[in-house]
Amino acid sequence: MTTLKKIILWVVLGLVLAAGLFVYFRFYFVFGDGVKAGELNQFTYKGYVWKTYEGRLIQAGFKGSVPKTGGTATIQSYIFDFSVANEEIANELMRCSGKTIEVHYKEYLGALPWRGMQKHVVDKVISVTSPENL
């Protein structure tokens, strides 16, 4: 094998390794995980080629007053959009619209079309509370 062929082989192997590491860290490496709680506002099953479960959680919160302007505290909603890859969890969430739920999620740096449209993927429902129980 000539020196030029060896150089080309090592460059190609390096590029393939770099591309593999990029894909792994961008789409499969779990960047973070956590728990969110709020009211399940929307949960749908949609998509053109890959049908995925997509949900929206509304988290109510208070926005404090601004000391310099003398503003008052206001209520502000935070929207948490998420995907669900597991059909059993999706079926459980389909029955929870309008209820306060607590979910565990994994955060990825990129979304995959067959895993869902969002970077946050819910992998467990921790608790469900009806509004009349609050």
Side-chain angles (χ1 to χ4, degrees), residues 32-130:
D33 61 8
V35 175
K36 292 274 187 181
E39 182 179 329
L40 184 62
N41 178 264
Q42 174 185 357
F43 196 74
T44 59
Y45 183 60
K46 63 182 178 180
Y48 292 113
V49 177
W50 287 285
K51 297 275 189 190
T52 58
Y53 296 97
E54 307 296 325
R56 175 174 287 160
L57 194 67
I58 305 293
Q59 300 173 283
F62 288 100
K63 184 177 180 182
S65 63
V66 181
K68 292 182 180 179
T69 62
T72 60
T74 59
I75 295 177
Q76 181 175 356
S77 294
Y78 298 100
I79 296 174
F80 176 66
D81 291 320
F82 62 90
S83 297
V84 176
N86 187 325
E87 192 172 350
E88 290 177 18
I89 295 169
N91 289 333
E92 184 177 353
L93 288 172
M94 284 282 191
R95 298 184 301 269
C96 295
S97 183
K99 296 181 181 177
T100 300
I101 63 170
E102 188 175 3
V103 294
H104 182 270
Y105 68 92
K106 293 181 180 178
E107 180 181 358
Y108 297 93
L109 296 175
L112 291 169
W114 53 87
R115 187 172 60 200
M117 295 172 36
Q118 307 301 325
K119 294 179 182 179
H120 299 94
V121 178
V122 168
D123 61 350
K124 186 186 335 179
V125 176
I126 297 172
S127 68
V128 177
T129 308
S130 296

